[in-house]
Amino acid sequence: MTHTAALPVAQPAPPGLWVIHCDGSAIPNPGRMGLGATLLAPDGQQHTLSHTSSLVGCNNEAELRALMAALRQAHALGARAIAVRSDSSLLIEQLRPPQPGQRPAAPITRLAELFDSARAWLARFDSVQWQWIPRHRNSAADTLARAALGAPAKVAPHPSHKKKKR
């Protein structure tokens, strides 16, 4: 008789899940901010946003403002369940609820008001999932953020293309 280990059962995605990829860019840093995001609706329809902020800020602020713009658009389109994908570990650490036994991330005083605004927007959704993704998997949102500033797209090398040290 063969025994197999029980595999964890994946949680089913909430019905109507919208997937948001967001990114922000400040040129120079700090400087003008470009905000970019893609929103994938449950029916497969893709929505994009590419805006320039009238404010001057740093890359972290641009990332946060891009998320809030995407949340506003998703809410306006009727989204109730969202999955946020971002290459900003700071954004994820500050906004994702801590796991059991994990201490909350130390607040960033300079951006505290913006994080509070983002949390208020997040509270409008029935379900929020978080996932940090590598930069090369967020290139569409990055391209939209940079395009808002008139900057060319960055070519983010895939991690498997690392330069070898000599």
Side-chain angles (χ1 to χ4, degrees), residues 23-27 32-35 59 62-63 142 145-146 149 154:
D23 206 355
S25 186
I27 300 177
R32 293 177 35 235
M33 292 183 289
L35 318 177
N59 280 332
E63 297 266 2
D142 179 66
R146 293 178 60 78
L149 296 171
K154 279 190 221 175

Side-chain angles (χ1 to χ4, degrees), residues 126-144:
D126 297 334
S127 171
V128 179
Q129 298 175 7
W130 294 96
Q131 184 181 8
W132 175 86
I133 56 174
R135 184 173 289 154
H136 73 275
R137 289 193 178 165
N138 207 31
S139 60
D142 179 66
T143 297
L144 290 165

Side-chain angles (χ1 to χ4, degrees), residues 20-123:
I20 296 172
H21 283 79
C22 58
D23 206 355
S25 186
I27 300 177
N29 187 17
R32 293 177 35 235
M33 292 183 289
L35 318 177
T38 62
L39 294 83
L40 182 63
D43 65 3
Q45 187 174 5
Q46 186 165 332
H47 305 267
T48 61
L49 67 88
S50 181
H51 301 289
T52 304
S53 173
S54 60
L55 305 171
V56 170
C58 66
N59 280 332
N60 290 330
E61 183 177 347
E63 297 266 2
L64 189 50
R65 290 186 182 280
L67 171 63
M68 289 192 296
L71 294 174
R72 282 191 295 272
Q73 185 171 351
H75 192 264
L77 291 168
R80 301 299 310 148
I82 58 170
V84 178
R85 311 283 189 256
S86 174
D87 60 22
S88 170
S89 57
L90 177 75
L91 190 80
I92 302 290
E93 289 168 359
Q94 290 291 315
L95 294 174
R96 177 177 55 194
Q99 304 299 316
Q102 181 184 30
R103 289 194 303 201
I108 299 170
T109 307
R110 186 177 59 77
L111 297 175
E113 193 173 307
L114 280 175
F115 278 113
D116 287 345
S117 294
R119 286 183 193 94
W121 270 103
L122 290 162

